Amino acid sequence: MAMMEEFKKFAMRGNVVDLAVGVIIGGAFGRIVDSLVQDVIMPPIGKLFGGLDFANYYIPLNHQSTALTLAEAKKAGAVIAYGNFLTILLNFIILAFIIFQMVRLMNRLRQRIVPEEAAKAPSTPEDILLLREIRDSLRRDALPNKPDN
């Protein structure tokens, strides 16, 4: 029973919940970028390279015909599917660029907020003020025949 309580405490911490939300949103966002690359960006690029589906570009390793689709060529033997790799690489580059822009924006917003907080003079804690009063009182008492001003 104690382990369940410990797990519940761990799972409900703010960082774990934030991480879970980030992973779920990131997965959905990844699918959006994947669709953007495969359905919008790669067809025109494939058209430029001969009108074929770019994901079907491969180098046959077992003397397969290059006229086969990628799936058929894989059934016939090993292939290097560089078209599929380039599609996934483009997905990564777009996703990394978008994340970079988001982090950049967050850093700029943070820089605008932090200087305002830094401009406020931090108040001196009460214990430090009391210690200063005691120090000043001891100095006055230690100096002989000095008038109190």
Side-chain angles (χ1 to χ4, degrees), residues 56-71:
N56 280 320
Y57 284 4
Y58 62 90
I59 298 172
L61 298 178
N62 288 341
H63 307 294
Q64 301 97 314
S65 169
T66 56
L68 299 174
T69 65
L70 178 61

Side-chain angles (χ1 to χ4, degrees), residues 105-126:
L105 176 67
M106 291 302 293
N107 286 339
R108 284 186 180 177
L109 291 174
R110 187 175 297 137
Q111 286 175 351
R112 289 182 185 167
I113 293 171
V114 171
E116 292 173 6
E117 292 175 359
K120 296 177 186 175
S123 61
T124 306
E126 186 176 345

Side-chain angles (χ1 to χ4, degrees), residues 132-149:
R132 287 179 183 168
E133 287 180 25
I134 292 169
R135 177 196 63 200
D136 294 343
S137 176
L138 289 172
R139 281 185 185 164
R140 280 193 303 265
D141 293 342
L143 298 175
N145 300 327
K146 290 279 185 172
D148 226 14
N149 294 27

Side-chain angles (χ1 to χ4, degrees), residues 28-47 52-55 82-98:
F29 187 71
R31 282 186 256 148
I32 291 170
V33 171
D34 188 45
S35 175
L36 172 72
V37 170
Q38 289 182 5
D39 301 332
V40 177
I41 296 174
M42 293 312 284
I45 291 175
K47 183 82 169 165
L52 296 175
D53 180 14
F54 200 75
Y82 69 90
N84 193 33
F85 173 75
L86 292 176
T87 302
I88 292 171
L89 181 64
L90 187 58
N91 274 354
F92 172 77
I93 291 170
I94 291 172
L95 193 57
F97 180 74
I98 291 170

